[in-house]
Amino acid sequence: MAWLEAQASFDPDVYPAEVIGIAACLGNHDSGLHEHERGQLLFTRQGCTRITLAGQLCLLPPSRAAWIPPRVSHRAVMQHSVDYRSVYLTAQLSASLPRKVCVIEVSPLLQAVLEPIAMAPFDTDWQQGKFMHLLQLCLGEIREASLQPMLLPLPWDHRLAPLLTTLEDLPPQLDVLATRVGASSKTIGRIFQRETGMGYQQWRQQWRLMRAIELLATGRNISYSAFELGFTSDSAFIAFFKAMTGTTPGVYFR
């Protein structure tokens, strides 16, 4: 019944079961801004999903999952072909999980558990038998999963609106941005520190990392990605990626 997820009328909150699972493969898809009474674990097996939140941009690369607590407004945009699993948990089950949106690393065990949960009928009884054990394993793995740096806080100062309207373009150097928005470099630095908790250069580097992962996950090669992100060479791009993630692009996606 995974095809229901692609339809605007699908609403996991109308089902009484504690857990509602979805398995689907979609092309370019935009969910629009919405929220659920349930918490949602969204796992991207292949492709890349960009999730827009209030004041944050979240990127979901392959083999990672986003945890979205109940009643959090979000918009998911899937680029190219995305193979994903989505698990919706009641507010009661969600209470033991993180209170804020986060991106987690999906362990082999969690990935194995998500498959039968996503394929389970919507009227499954999660209080007994193998499904009870699968659910408990799933909750435990989510709680213990390593967090991934795939959230980018966004400033809300009106002077920076032009920067945020083109988030797919490389953010300019600080002095160039200052000229564009008519504010000093120091003022922009203070705005970013106050509203995002980062200096502008740190914010720009985090953007570059997320965009690099997005480009590579949607089929662009290293040379293309390095050029798009303003690196002088493939080796400079790989060095940046390794400094930010602790591993090379090839190992990261493997």
Side-chain angles (χ1 to χ4, degrees):
M1 300 184 71
W3 59 271
L4 289 172
E5 175 77 358
Q7 298 189 16
S9 59
F10 178 75
D11 180 1
D13 294 330
V14 303
Y15 297 93
E18 290 183 292
V19 180
I20 297 296
I22 291 292
C25 186
L26 297 178
N28 293 325
H29 175 69
D30 187 339
S31 72
L33 187 65
H34 66 289
E35 64 180 66
H36 314 289
E37 291 298 315
R38 295 170 177 262
Q40 179 183 8
L41 185 73
L42 179 58
F43 169 50
T44 302
R45 302 203 320 169
Q46 178 182 335
C48 197
T49 302
R50 182 182 289 205
I51 304 172
T52 305
L53 307 152
Q56 285 183 312
L57 185 66
C58 174
L59 188 69
L60 190 55
S63 301
R64 275 71 179 177
W67 166 248
I68 305 171
R71 296 177 292 280
V72 172
S73 294
H74 60 282
R75 173 188 177 193
V77 177
M78 299 178 179
Q79 301 180 36
H80 303 286
S81 179
V82 177
D83 183 12
Y84 72 98
R85 303 293 181 260
S86 193
V87 174
Y88 300 94
L89 305 170
T90 61
Q92 184 176 1
L93 288 175
S94 301
S96 66
L97 300 178
R99 300 299 178 92
K100 295 182 179 180
V101 174
C102 58
V103 176
I104 62 173
E105 185 174 341
V106 176
S107 67
L109 177 57
L110 180 55
Q111 183 170 350
V113 166
L114 285 174
E115 201 65 17
I117 292 178
M119 298 293 184
F122 289 170
D123 59 355
T124 295
D125 181 356
W126 297 91
Q127 293 292 329
Q128 59 182 353
K130 71 172 185 178
F131 289 106
M132 177 184 68
H133 296 298
L134 286 171
L135 176 58
Q136 293 307 313
L137 276 173
C138 179
L139 295 174
E141 286 296 296
I142 295 172
R143 285 192 290 265
E144 296 177 11
S146 299
L147 299 180
Q148 301 289 295
M150 291 292 110
L151 285 168
L152 184 70
L154 302 176
W156 59 85
D157 190 288
H158 70 277
R159 288 168 288 186
L160 298 175
L163 176 67
L164 303 183
T165 58
T166 55
L167 277 173
E168 292 191 352
D169 298 334
L170 176 64
Q173 295 285 356
L174 180 56
D175 57 341
V176 175
L177 178 61
T179 300
R180 287 185 187 177
V181 304
S184 70
S185 297
K186 287 185 177 179
T187 296
I188 292 174
R190 285 195 295 267
I191 291 171
F192 269 87
Q193 194 65 52
R194 181 179 68 246
E195 299 183 0
T196 71
M198 300 178 177
Y200 180 70
Q201 182 60 19
Q202 182 186 4
W203 185 89
R204 186 174 184 264
Q205 293 292 76
Q206 181 65 17
W207 180 94
R208 282 175 120 185
L209 172 64
M210 291 175 61
R211 184 63 176 148
I213 291 172
E214 189 172 43
L215 289 169
L216 294 169
T218 52
R220 274 71 165 193
N221 61 28
I222 285 177
S223 295
Y224 178 94
S225 302
F227 177 79
E228 283 291 302
L229 298 177
F231 291 95
T232 56
S233 65
D234 291 4
S235 59
F237 171 77
I238 293 171
F240 160 80
F241 195 98
K242 189 171 183 179
M244 294 291 286
T245 66
T247 188
T248 63
V251 173
Y252 183 91
F253 283 98
R254 194 178 309 133

